[in-house]
Structure formats: structure tokens, C-alpha cells
Amino acid sequence: MFRTLQDIYNYLDEMFKEIDKFCSVCRDCCKSYCWLLEEEVKILSKLDVPILQLNKAFCIDSFERRDKKILLDNIPTCRFFKKRKCSIYPYRPLFCRLYPIQLIFNSKQQILFVIDLDCPFASQRNKQDLYQISLKLKYLLTKMDKQLLHSIVKQYYEVHKITKIYRKNFIKLLRVHLGKDKLLIKPLF
């Protein structure tokens, strides 16, 4: 059972342990809003990481400013992306650890889990590899503490309300319906 965010981090780190060799030549995913869960806000605040709240969502503040106004037009590169590496790698949030998996909401309860094929790691996976990733993701979701899962989904839904997926090159892995007492997962791959 995955009871804590750290349990999820450990599982995802193992699931994507081979991704680093691809990241060293790309890191396009670091050119993104780095969304944070409320628990991560508490942890990163203690490390003096600047955090910005946009409506009910939080992100690492990497935005440019002009005349003290935040420029929201351009998607920023994460401020911790230095020398082609993440300078807070051990503390990176779920958003980063989950990538190349992204969540697309059809509604508050209907979620698509997709894999971003613009990621070199994902694009070089064969069908069997992608199928294995979808099985591991399904396992994570079914074994996750339901309150923790609801909390994560709720916070990612807040992100969804103020952003849109700007990458269009993806494969759908799972369709998830998250009810109060039920979790229905339909493999799409």
C-alpha cells in the first residue's frame, strides 16, 4: 500500500529509473510550470524555494517579472534547472517524478493518464514497454491510499482548471473514474 507521498516518490523513481540518461540530453520537461501538492509546498518552503499560488494551485516561482509584475505569457524554465540538471533533484515534486506521465481531465472524476511522446525516454519505448508502464501505473493507483489519491487528484484538478496541456503528442494509457468509494480503471493501451 502506498500510504505517503514518499512511498509514491520511491515507486516512481524505481519505475522511471532509466529516464535520467535521456534527461541529460533533453530536459524539455523542465520548461514547464512546476506544480506542487500542498504537502510539497510545506516541504519546499522550508528549503526557501520560492512558491507562487495561482488560484488554488501552487507552483515553483520561476516566472520572469517586468516592473514587478509577473509575466504569465511564457512558460518558464524551472529556476532549479542549472547546468542541464535539477539542483533540487532529491526534493523534486510529484509533477516532476511522474513525468512523462500527465493527467488530462475530462471531468472532475474522469481522468486520462497519458504518456508524453515528446519525451525521448517515452518516444523510445516499444509497445510492450508502454504496456508495462500502464500496468505499473494501474498498480500504483489501485494500491494508493484512497484519501491520498483523492487529495492528489483534487490538487491536479485545480491545476487543470487554470492550464491546458500544451503537448499534443501523447498516447493514452489509462482512463480512470474516481468516485467517493470506487476507483474504476480502464486500460487504453
Side-chain angles (χ1 to χ4, degrees):
M1 177 79 117
F2 301 98
R3 297 186 190 285
T4 68
L5 203 48
Q6 189 60 54
D7 292 339
I8 296 168
Y9 288 169
N10 294 342
Y11 185 78
L12 291 172
D13 288 351
E14 180 62 27
M15 185 171 155
F16 293 120
K17 65 184 173 190
E18 298 175 19
I19 202 169
D20 278 346
K21 59 185 161 191
F22 295 90
C23 296
S24 62
V25 295
C26 179
R27 289 284 186 200
D28 278 349
C29 59
C30 296
K31 296 177 184 101
S32 172
Y33 304 105
C34 187
W35 298 108
L36 303 171
L37 302 172
E38 289 178 14
E39 185 176 332
E40 294 167 329
V41 169
K42 293 173 187 169
I43 294 165
L44 294 174
S45 293
K46 292 177 184 173
L47 299 172
D48 292 328
V49 171
I51 295 168
L52 183 66
Q53 183 173 355
L54 301 169
N55 295 336
K56 294 181 181 178
F58 298 91
C59 65
I60 291 177
D61 186 357
S62 299
F63 293 94
E64 293 180 43
R65 287 169 169 71
R66 189 171 297 134
D67 300 324
K68 296 184 181 180
K69 292 182 181 177
I70 296 172
L71 303 177
L72 295 174
D73 296 340
N74 297 325
I75 296 172
T77 298
C78 180
R79 70 175 19 206
F80 296 104
F81 178 60
K82 298 176 180 174
K83 297 181 183 177
R84 302 208 50 79
K85 291 172 74 175
C86 176
S87 62
I88 61 166
Y89 194 80
Y91 303 101
R92 71 196 188 284
L94 180 65
F95 181 81
C96 300
R97 292 172 196 262
L98 192 56
Y99 191 81
I101 304 296
Q102 294 184 336
L103 285 68
I104 300 174
F105 287 81
N106 291 334
S107 70
K108 198 170 185 177
Q109 284 85 28
Q110 292 280 342
I111 310 145
L112 288 176
F113 284 78
V114 302
I115 190 161
D116 184 353
L117 294 178
D118 289 332
C119 169
F121 170 81
S123 68
Q124 293 186 25
R125 303 295 98 191
N126 61 35
K127 287 184 179 186
Q128 182 60 32
D129 293 337
L130 293 172
Y131 178 69
Q132 289 301 317
I133 289 170
S134 72
L135 290 178
K136 289 176 181 179
L137 184 59
K138 180 179 178 182
Y139 178 79
L140 173 65
L141 294 170
T142 57
K143 298 299 182 182
M144 191 183 305
D145 176 84
K146 297 307 175 222
Q147 188 174 355
L148 179 59
L149 177 59
H150 279 273
S151 173
I152 290 169
V153 168
K154 178 183 172 193
Q155 291 175 59
Y156 272 73
Y157 184 70
E158 293 300 328
V159 168
H160 163 77
K161 290 188 324 189
I162 60 173
T163 63
K164 61 181 175 184
I165 295 279
Y166 61 92
R167 299 176 194 259
K168 300 290 184 202
N169 188 20
F170 57 78
I171 291 178
K172 297 174 185 175
L173 298 176
L174 300 173
R175 175 174 286 119
V176 176
H177 177 81
L178 184 61
K180 278 191 172 183
D181 299 321
K182 274 193 207 174
L183 174 66
L184 301 173
I185 300 174
K186 180 181 179 189
L188 300 174
F189 188 84

